[in-house]
Amino acid sequence: MTADADISQIAGIHMVAAIKGGVRATFRQVDTDQSGFIDKEELRSVLQKLGGEVTDEEVDKCYKELDENDDGKIDFDEFSRWYLKSENRIESDVQQLFNKFDHDNNGYIEIDELENLVVACQGENTEPDPNEVENARKILDENNDGKISKDEFMNWYKSSKFFEAQKKRRDTMVEQEAAEEEEGISLKFPESKKGE
C-alpha cells in the first residue's frame, strides 16, 4: 500500500469515527459553504481538525484520491464511496478484534471472555478486579442481556483505546512509508508481521 492511499484511509477512518451522523451528515459538515461540493480548503480544514497540521502535499494526495473524475471538486457520490470504504475498514478491524475476544465463536462476548478484554485494555497480565469487569459490562452491554453483541462492541470500539491505537498505528505506518520514500528504495528483507 502506498502513502498516497494511507493519508486518505486515515482521514476516512478519523472522519467516520469522529463526526457524528452518517455519510450525508458528515458531507454537510465538511462542505462548510454548502455548495454541494468539497473543495481543497474544506478538506484541509477537516483534516487539520482531525489530526493537526497537514502539508499541501498530503491535502493534494487525499484530494486526488477522492476526486475520482478529476473535475477539481469532490461531489457527494465521490465522498460517499470513499466514506463507505472507510466504514468497511473499521468494520473489518472491529470484526477481527471482536473475534479475538469471542473465544467460543458464538457471536457474543460473555463475562468470562470480557475479563480478557479488560486485561487487554489495562495492558497488564493480572486478573482483573470483578468490579472492573462489571463496570466494563455495564458500559458495553447496552441492552443489559449479560453478553456483548458485535453491534454493542462496535459502538464501544469507536470511542476506545483500541481504536485510538489503531489510528496511531496507521499514522506511524504513513510516517514510516514517507520516510522510506524520501530515503529511496530499501534492499532490506521485510520483517514478517505476525497475524497480518
Side-chain angles (χ1 to χ4, degrees), residues 153-177:
F153 190 76
M154 170 65 97
N155 293 339
W156 168 79
Y157 179 80
K158 284 185 179 180
S159 64
S160 73
K161 290 180 185 178
F162 284 114
F163 188 67
E164 289 303 314
Q166 186 73 0
K167 288 192 291 189
K168 283 181 185 177
R169 186 177 71 78
R170 283 195 172 108
D171 289 345
T172 301
M173 287 172 54
V174 168
E175 290 169 10
Q176 288 172 343
E177 287 181 8

Side-chain angles (χ1 to χ4, degrees), residues 125-144:
N125 280 334
T126 59
E127 192 165 320
D129 179 274
N131 291 330
E132 293 171 324
V133 175
E134 179 57 20
N135 287 337
R137 188 203 56 78
K138 287 177 183 176
I139 291 167
L140 289 160
D141 187 12
E142 295 171 354
N143 64 4
N144 209 25

Side-chain angles (χ1 to χ4, degrees), residues 108-111 137 141 143-149 152:
Y108 294 96
I109 296 175
E110 283 98 1
I111 294 298
R137 188 203 56 78
D141 187 12
N143 64 4
N144 209 25
D145 66 354
K147 54 191 175 186
I148 293 96
S149 69
E152 290 168 327

